[in-house]
Amino acid sequence: MLNVVVLNGGRGAATLVPALLGVPGVRLTSIVNAYDDGKSTGEIRRFFGMLGPSDLRKVQALMLPHDDLIATTRALFDHRFAAEASRQEALDALAQFRDGATTVAGIGPLPPRMAAVLRGWTGLFLEALPLAETVIGRTFAFADCALMNILYAGAFLACGRDMEETVSAVDRLFRLRGFVLPNSCDDRWLAAEREDGAILTTEAEIVELRSNDRIARLFLLERPVDPDALARLEPADRARFLAQRHTPVRLSAGARLAIEQADAIIYSAGTQHSSLYPTYMSRGLAAGIAANARALKVFVTNIGADYETPRYRTSDFVAGALKFLRLGEERRIATEDLIQVALINSSRIKPDETYVDDDEENFGDLTVERIVADLESRASPGKHDGDAIVRRILEHSARRHDARCHAGA
């Protein structure tokens, strides 16, 4: 059995996770942060005082078992109420399911065991919603709301507001082929400062707003930023205000154990400042990775540029990861204890893709082994080929194992 831990977000896992799940003997654990605050996830967070389930459920959807229920379970994970759906239509669909209907929002019929659990979660959501609406002072917006976000809110209440137990409950209910863990159970809201001094007050802004200015700092806050209130400060004081309220998070117990037991730790490609760097900042993560001297530690650089990393080259991805990993620790940890290998794509298949350039000359101070190879999908140019990445990692792992055996002989 090969214990593999992947540090990833929702989108970056789309090719890597299925490829790893297809390898016999691999026990896969995905560690994901839950600071998403866009669309219905932000609505769920504000009304129920919880971390965002969006990226967690996206990774769990990749791990659904390929059995007779796959069409139904995938529909549950993918379903969103229509943008034009009325509040009453959504409430009626949920109430009918809670009261015994065999389908929810037209999905089903569901197996009795699964339906019973999901009905319980739906009932808790419906019971808590009016109280939350009264306190917040407005009604919940069901338009374009992900059904699994609603079910997650009910599960969160059923699990005593313990996010790690909530994620595990979803894992067990759907009998997933791998494990998904939140990086932390500490509820935080993400904000950032760009190099030009501009403040991004939400995770959604970090992901979506185009700019040629890099992000300089990330802030983990106990409350969401009120842009109007922040605007009362002078521009030069806004980042200082957020820095004073930055509150680090502790690595979750499950994530700590998974890192300790890992034979391979993979830093996935993905959206760096929203999906990955906030995870790397978790207190105890870098120390745990460094303490596991047995594990192979592989960093996968992005293929294409994102809005938030428009001018990054391959060395910037590695250096950025190291910077944010070290922010979570009180001592400096050597590069080789955190990242040993960098996987870098060499191909350029898609004519209109903005590919990440490889700047080998800037790896001088980065003591990592560079593996430059064709890692691009032929079926989806501009994206990684998960099988190619996994093949390289397994080959490297086998060579390490053989070298250790020869050394010990």
Side-chain angles (χ1 to χ4, degrees):
M1 180 68 69
L2 188 72
N3 288 318
V4 177
V5 169
V6 180
L7 302 167
N8 60 271
R11 184 182 64 170
T15 60
L16 180 59
V17 165
L20 285 165
L21 290 171
V23 178
V26 165
R27 184 179 187 270
L28 178 61
T29 300
S30 166
I31 298 176
V32 185
N33 79 58
Y35 307 130
D36 186 3
D37 57 20
K39 298 182 180 178
S40 67
T41 298
E43 193 78 347
I44 286 287
R45 295 194 66 185
R46 289 179 173 84
F47 275 78
F48 289 88
M50 63 186 288
L51 285 160
S54 175
D55 282 351
L56 295 164
R57 63 176 170 79
K58 287 176 184 175
V59 180
Q60 288 176 320
L62 298 172
M63 296 183 175
L64 289 169
H66 293 164
D67 56 18
D68 293 342
L69 290 174
I70 184 62
T72 300
T73 53
R74 189 168 296 283
L76 276 175
F77 274 81
D78 290 346
H79 183 77
R80 307 183 78 93
F81 285 102
E84 63 276 9
S86 72
R87 167 185 170 78
Q88 197 57 51
E89 287 172 339
L91 287 173
D92 287 347
L94 294 170
Q96 289 166 13
F97 177 63
R98 175 201 61 193
D99 296 339
T102 58
T103 63
V104 55
I107 301 167
L110 302 172
R113 178 189 66 87
M114 184 182 295
V117 175
L118 294 179
R119 284 194 190 100
W121 293 351
T122 303
L124 290 172
F125 172 87
L126 292 172
E127 180 183 354
L129 184 61
L131 301 178
E133 290 177 330
T134 300
V135 170
I136 289 176
R138 65 176 178 86
T139 57
F140 183 86
F142 282 97
D144 197 37
C145 181
L147 176 59
M148 276 302 297
N149 279 353
I150 290 171
L151 297 173
Y152 245 103
F156 182 64
L157 297 173
C159 293
R161 302 182 64 83
D162 182 327
M163 196 62 178
E164 187 168 3
E165 178 54 35
T166 301
V167 179
S168 295
V170 175
D171 279 2
R172 293 191 300 270
L173 178 64
F174 290 96
R175 296 175 177 171
L176 302 184
R177 295 177 291 154
F179 303 90
V180 180
L181 296 169
N183 67 304
S184 176
C185 292
D186 299 331
D187 191 5
R188 296 291 186 271
W189 297 78
L190 194 59
E193 178 192 18
R194 282 207 178 116
E195 288 180 342
D196 64 356
I199 300 298
L200 307 177
T201 59
T202 66
E203 186 268 353
E205 286 186 354
I206 293 170
V207 173
E208 294 171 4
L209 290 187
R210 297 172 183 257
S211 175
N212 287 323
D213 288 296
R214 295 188 180 194
I215 291 173
R217 286 194 286 180
L218 292 174
F219 309 104
L220 293 170
L221 309 170
E222 293 181 321
R223 296 178 184 83
V225 177
D226 180 341
D228 294 333
L230 191 67
R232 296 173 194 148
L233 293 172
E234 293 297 322
D237 290 332
R238 293 168 190 169
R240 189 157 60 94
F241 175 83
L242 296 177
Q244 290 170 352
R245 282 156 177 75
H246 170 71
T247 310
V249 302
R250 299 157 296 175
L251 189 66
S252 68
R256 188 182 303 275
L257 182 61
I259 292 292
E260 180 183 319
Q261 296 178 341
D263 299 305
I265 298 168
I266 305 172
Y267 301 86
S268 173
T271 309
Q272 305 295 303
H273 291 89
S274 59
S275 295
L276 300 171
Y277 291 166
T279 297
Y280 301 164
M281 293 164 66
S282 306
R283 285 185 171 171
L285 176 64
I289 292 172
N292 185 344
R294 178 186 71 256
L296 172 65
K297 300 154 190 179
V298 180
F299 186 92
V300 183
T301 62
N302 281 17
I303 279 186
D306 275 329
Y307 293 162
E308 41 118 58
T309 52
R311 294 180 288 115
Y312 269 37
R313 295 183 290 178
T314 52
S315 72
D316 294 315
F317 286 98
V318 177
L322 291 168
K323 170 187 171 181
F324 283 95
L325 283 162
R326 288 167 175 154
L327 284 177
E329 305 302 332
E330 296 180 353
R331 63 183 178 88
R332 182 176 175 82
I333 299 176
T335 296
E336 57 268 25
D337 290 332
L338 296 173
I339 300 173
Q340 298 160 345
V341 179
L343 286 181
I344 299 166
N345 176 59
S346 61
S347 66
R348 299 286 189 275
I349 300 173
K350 193 175 180 182
D352 58 346
E353 178 68 31
T354 305
Y355 285 93
V356 171
D357 291 328
D358 179 26
D359 56 333
E360 181 179 3
E361 67 277 10
N362 290 322
F363 274 79
D365 295 331
L366 299 173
T367 53
V368 301
E369 178 184 351
R370 289 165 35 88
I371 297 179
V372 182
D374 182 349
L375 304 174
E376 189 172 4
S377 170
R378 294 310 187 262
S380 300
K383 297 181 180 180
H384 278 117
D385 180 336
D387 291 329
I389 292 173
V390 171
R391 188 164 55 251
R392 294 281 177 172
I393 292 172
L394 294 179
E395 288 171 356
H396 202 286
S397 179
R399 287 198 299 271
R400 274 170 57 95
H401 180 267
D402 291 344
R404 286 179 175 176
C405 289
H406 290 143

